[in-house]
Amino acid sequence: MSIPSRTALIDHLVRTRIAGDVATPRENNLDHYRKLANGDRHYWFGLEFGDRWTDEQDVLAVMAERCGVSDDLGHRAGQDTIDPELTVAALDRMAAVLRKAAAGRQRVLFATGHPGGLLDVHRATATALRAAGCEIVVIPDGLTADEGYVFQFADVAVFERGATLWHTHSPAPMAAILDGLAREGRPLPDLVVADHGWAGCAAQRGLDAVGYADSNDPALFLAEAEGTLQVAVPLDDHVLSPRFYDPLTAYLLAAAGLAPRRA
């Protein structure tokens, strides 16, 4: 993968709608912020917020600051945005975490609830960290959650039901992995790189975790604001082609000092 400059990456993110004017409509964003504030745990992603985020406007303020959605309370429908500058800034913060993991040869666990969009981003990052000397955590066999199976594909933990990889926000698959490692007497990961409830569950259990999150998924951004999650990268997590994420991955790995050396 060629490594884009910061300016070129921002242009690419906007052109492919990974950031900028994204496909997720404003009304969907506000609906999810409201449901999180009203205590709907489906939108908490395994995190425990107590009564700290019971005002939808407070959630919106954090999302405007960390994701780049409109902070206009009167904007109730239509187009919403992710600020590509915030996306790249968060990638830089994630790169610093990955660089530290590589330097310490840490045990790293990768997982995704969005296999249709982000599986290869995680796979490529896992490959780069293994080449740098990290241990990529192998999850226990036979794990189940949410009436399906938790297994590993291309170094990335995923949720499977009916011989199909599923999109899931649930924290239960990550809980199954961490509980399974404990049952086997194996060490927990030093770092979790994930998204959705996989990242939220790991962070809530006190593990160092970073993740990707869409503009309608506020939980990880709130967790970052509170210091529970190390980094939340704002992006549209399922755009037209998974190949659109390749320049983002290349930039991330280069910033982390993990870009493959040319022969």
Side-chain angles (χ1 to χ4, degrees):
M1 292 183 286
S2 61
I3 301 167
S5 67
R6 183 186 184 92
T7 300
L9 178 59
I10 287 173
D11 289 344
H12 172 80
L13 296 176
V14 172
R15 186 171 61 255
T16 57
R17 302 186 74 183
I18 294 172
D21 289 341
V22 292
T24 308
R26 176 68 167 187
E27 48 268 46
N28 185 258
N29 284 341
L30 295 181
D31 178 63
H32 288 198
Y33 304 167
R34 185 180 310 111
K35 287 176 177 176
L36 182 146
N38 288 339
D40 187 334
R41 287 181 173 269
H42 175 76
Y43 298 93
W44 286 21
F45 285 11
L47 292 149
E48 293 296 331
F49 293 122
D51 59 359
R52 298 188 298 280
W53 298 100
T54 57
D55 189 329
E56 175 191 350
Q57 294 185 18
D58 291 339
V59 178
L60 174 60
V62 171
M63 293 303 293
E65 176 189 18
R66 294 180 177 269
C67 184
V69 301
S70 171
D71 62 359
D72 180 2
L73 295 174
H75 179 36
R76 310 301 298 179
Q79 183 65 56
D80 213 341
T81 59
I82 293 175
D83 185 340
E85 294 279 358
L86 292 178
T87 301
V88 178
L91 288 171
D92 289 337
R93 296 197 303 277
M94 182 182 282
V97 174
L98 298 179
R99 184 183 292 272
K100 178 182 176 182
R105 300 190 173 221
Q106 292 181 354
R107 295 182 304 276
V108 187
L109 172 63
F110 288 85
T112 186
H114 232 306
L118 299 179
L119 179 63
D120 208 41
V121 177
H122 290 301
R123 179 207 59 78
T125 309
T127 298
L129 283 177
R130 177 182 284 112
C134 288
E135 174 190 345
I136 306 305
V137 175
V138 176
I139 70 171
D141 290 329
L143 298 179
T144 60
D146 295 334
E147 301 180 347
Y149 298 93
V150 185
F151 71 100
Q152 214 157 12
F153 179 75
D155 285 330
V156 185
V158 291
F159 178 70
E160 184 267 347
R161 187 190 293 171
T164 301
L165 302 187
W166 275 55
H167 168 228
T168 177
H169 288 182
S170 174
M174 177 58 74
I177 293 172
L178 300 179
D179 292 344
L181 291 171
R183 281 195 305 271
E184 293 185 357
R186 294 169 54 194
L188 295 178
D190 299 309
L191 175 66
V192 173
V193 182
D195 48 67
H196 287 179
W198 306 77
C201 176
Q204 184 61 42
R205 291 203 181 191
L207 298 176
D208 286 347
V210 297
Y212 301 94
D214 209 329
S215 60
N216 63 351
D217 293 332
L220 297 189
F221 297 103
L222 300 182
E224 183 186 27
E226 292 190 333
T228 308
L229 185 81
Q230 290 191 322
V231 182
V233 177
L235 47 67
D236 187 317
D237 52 19
H238 196 123
V239 292
L240 186 62
S241 168
R243 294 277 66 84
F244 288 167
Y245 297 103
D246 288 352
L248 177 152
T249 306
Y251 178 93
L252 173 67
L253 297 183
L258 297 172
R261 292 187 177 88
R262 295 182 182 273

